[in-house]
Amino acid sequence: MRPDADCRLCGLCEGRTNIVLPDGDASSGIVFVGEAPGENEDLEGRPFVGRSGKILDGMMQDAGISRSDVLITNTVKCRPPGNRDPTPDEMHACRAFLESEIVGAKLVIGLGKSACRDLMGFDGKMSEIVNRITTIRVGEVDVRFLPTYHPAATIYNKVSREELRRTMAIVREEMG
Ligand code: URA
């Protein structure tokens, strides 16, 4: 399920250049969910192509995961102004698209606080849940969910960088 090309379900439509749709292999069963498109993503119309994307790509590569072998998406498909966090209302407006992307997945990886808030309803410290696989309810079905740090949160923090590396090792193992 995709948004209409002229989607106006929330106010983020006002400032966007492109709707940023999921990228990669939708049949892989492995879905990485980020927060929201940033400036580069908005311009290119692809998720995780800017600074965070370079970190994500590098960590995947180091773990032996090819970006084209997984699906990469965001909680909202349009860039929030000034890269602020998406609001609960904006995430709610985009929720049906996200659900259609993750329903039936083998493993969903939540990259950072916004994704974990949206999908797990968790609003505490990431250190309390990082790399602990849990189950979330998506429509009528349970989906396995792996919470972890957002790539941007690993830039100046060695602990979160090591945790994100561990996430990639878990994902690689799940992929078989
Ligand atoms: N940060 C995100 O959460 N998603 C992107 O697509 C880019 C940066």
Side-chain angles (χ1 to χ4, degrees):
M1 184 186 180
R2 302 241 149 148
D4 288 344
D6 61 347
C7 180
R8 306 191 68 79
L9 289 177
C10 80
L12 296 182
C13 61
E14 304 296 342
R16 72 164 175 245
T17 311
N18 284 295
I19 297 176
V20 178
L21 296 176
D23 187 35
D25 182 359
S27 70
S28 65
I30 306 288
V31 188
F32 285 83
V33 181
E35 180 179 85
E39 184 179 14
N40 294 290
E41 290 76 18
D42 175 63
L43 292 174
E44 278 192 42
R46 274 184 78 206
F48 283 101
V49 292
R51 192 177 188 192
S52 294
K54 301 278 174 289
I55 297 169
L56 187 65
D57 288 353
M59 288 219 182
M60 280 187 177
Q61 213 169 20
D62 290 348
I65 302 166
S66 164
R67 184 177 164 125
S68 57
D69 288 344
V70 301
L71 192 71
I72 300 178
T73 190
N74 282 303
T75 63
V76 296
K77 312 305 186 218
C78 299
R79 181 191 181 199
N83 294 345
R84 65 159 170 73
D85 293 351
T87 66
D89 280 353
E90 289 158 354
M91 291 195 281
H92 181 75
C94 229
R95 176 79 188 196
F97 307 119
L98 180 60
E99 288 200 356
S100 75
E101 291 152 11
I102 64 176
V103 72
K106 186 174 176 206
L107 184 68
V108 173
I109 303 97
L111 296 169
K113 275 179 92 70
S114 289
C116 294
R117 192 181 307 123
D118 193 21
L119 288 168
M120 275 178 83
F122 180 81
D123 211 3
K125 288 189 174 158
M126 286 303 298
S127 59
E128 290 169 16
I129 56 168
V130 63
N131 284 326
R132 296 189 194 162
I133 293 180
T134 185
T135 299
I136 57 170
R137 194 82 181 155
V138 180
E140 303 285 294
V141 300
D142 286 338
V143 176
R144 289 166 71 238
F145 184 75
L146 176 59
T148 192
Y149 289 103
H150 192 279
T154 71
I155 295 175
Y156 301 111
N157 189 313
K158 197 168 168 226
V159 173
S160 46
R161 192 155 57 238
E162 288 316 307
E163 290 287 8
L164 187 54
R165 282 200 188 284
R166 206 156 83 78
T167 305
M168 295 304 172
I170 296 169
V171 173
R172 183 70 194 86
E173 206 166 297
E174 289 281 331
M175 291 172 77

